[in-house]
Amino acid sequence: MAVPDLLQKDKVVVVTGARRGLGKAMALAFAEAGADIVVSDFVAADGEMAAVVDEVKKLGRRAIAVETDVTKQVQVEELMARAVKEFGKIDVLINNAGTGGAASVMNITEAEWDRVMDTNLKGTLFCSQAAGKTMMLQKSGNIINIASVGAYLKGTSPYAISKKSILSITQGFAAILGPYKVRVNAIAPGAVKTDMTRMFWENPKMLEHYVSEIPLGRMGEVRDIADVALFLASDAAKYVTGTSILVDGGILPANLPPRADFIRALRAESAKK
């Protein structure tokens, strides 16, 4: 019996939030595996998206950059239409675009609530709708949503609530698109070294405390998440849909989330400097 591999030869992959961090890592990982990439983000003027496109091309694959605000349905539809026009299909959509926020539901402002929910939920919804229509016609495809370990904790922030809701969106689209041979799954990362978690890994005291509570003894790297995305998009996961995979170094199974009081104290300490 042949063993399935993780190669993505000649697939077309759309990655949102791809100009840096986790999105960039996933775009490059799929390019290394043989895919052509549509690099999307809401900022293009700083040249970061163009740089990712250049890196993909150096790997011998085709790539384009499309500036997109995923909270705007019209722009999302234009993004997917551009992908089909340039490459003829969409094999994989990675809904990575997202934003954070630490305020609790008791003191969140309307504007801050809308910012988090619009990006994390409307963005995932609109992109899945638009790409899903193409995949239905193709009768093939994969959608991979980026949730968070926060979706499984008793989070009181709009960020945690939005990520928990992404699990529901994932299940909903999996049920609707399954008959068309389209699989929809989520990845729930723990703390990964990106700009969003910089306060963890640039603060030695905070990093030491956080890592001490991770059974595998380290923070995640962006490649840790990219490799799971490759798995979910491959034939090795051909019977996997409607689920979420935790990639958190064991922190949730060990029931050892970092103490909120400790993090608040370190934030306050950093703010004084």
Side-chain angles (χ1 to χ4, degrees):
M1 182 175 65
V3 178
D5 59 42
L6 303 185
L7 293 178
Q8 308 291 319
K9 185 170 174 55
D10 298 328
K11 288 185 179 180
V12 175
V13 181
V14 177
V15 186
T16 66
R19 81 185 197 276
R20 63 173 65 163
L22 182 53
K24 176 181 177 180
M26 290 190 289
L28 295 179
F30 273 81
E32 289 173 356
D36 297 323
I37 310 296
V38 178
V39 179
S40 175
D41 213 307
F42 74 102
V43 176
D46 59 10
E48 289 181 309
M49 276 205 290
V52 178
V53 167
D54 288 342
E55 288 190 56
V56 170
K57 290 180 177 179
K58 288 177 182 176
L59 293 169
R61 303 308 307 179
R62 297 177 296 168
I64 59 171
V66 183
E67 184 174 355
T68 309
D69 181 348
V70 296
T71 71
K72 308 298 182 185
Q73 192 169 22
V74 171
Q75 291 190 33
V76 168
E77 290 173 348
E78 290 172 350
L79 164 65
M80 303 307 170
R82 177 79 183 280
V84 173
K85 180 180 179 181
E86 293 287 337
F87 299 123
K89 59 178 180 173
I90 301 173
D91 294 300
V92 181
L93 164 66
I94 302 178
N95 280 315
N96 175 68
T99 189
S104 80
V105 290
M106 287 301 293
N107 57 29
I108 189 73
T109 65
E110 181 179 0
E112 181 70 2
W113 173 271
D114 288 344
R115 180 185 69 84
V116 175
M117 293 298 168
D118 284 359
T119 302
N120 295 354
L121 291 184
K122 286 173 65 174
T124 298
L125 172 67
F126 293 156
C127 289
S128 298
Q129 284 178 335
K133 292 173 184 177
T134 293
M135 292 175 179
M136 289 170 73
L137 295 174
Q138 297 171 173
K139 290 187 168 52
S140 67
N142 271 280
I143 296 175
I144 300 170
N145 299 322
I146 303 301
S148 167
V149 67
Y152 294 90
L153 302 174
K154 294 179 181 178
T156 62
S157 70
Y159 174 80
I161 293 169
S162 71
K163 292 300 186 177
K164 188 179 291 290
S165 298
I166 284 176
L167 303 184
S168 295
I169 288 177
T170 298
Q171 293 171 345
F173 274 100
I176 293 169
L177 298 178
Y180 298 91
K181 312 303 180 188
V182 178
R183 296 189 290 105
V184 187
N185 292 289
I187 300 173
V192 178
K193 287 185 179 180
T194 64
D195 286 342
M196 189 178 292
T197 60
R198 187 175 295 276
M199 73 167 190
F200 283 105
W201 50 269
E202 282 195 340
N203 184 318
K205 189 176 180 181
M206 182 175 281
L207 179 61
E208 180 182 5
H209 173 80
Y210 192 80
V211 167
S212 72
E213 296 187 332
I214 300 175
L216 288 186
R218 65 175 177 86
M219 285 187 69
E221 302 287 348
V222 290
R223 186 68 198 217
D224 294 324
I225 312 303
D227 286 344
V228 176
L230 287 171
F231 162 71
L232 286 173
S234 75
D235 286 343
K238 62 181 178 293
Y239 201 55
V240 180
T241 195
T243 194
S244 174
I245 298 179
L246 277 164
V247 189
D248 66 349
I251 196 167
L252 186 65
N255 196 27
L256 292 171
R259 297 195 307 274
D261 57 343
F262 180 84
I263 293 175
R264 281 195 294 267
L266 284 177
R267 283 176 174 163
E269 179 183 314
S270 297
K272 294 176 182 177
K273 297 179 179 179

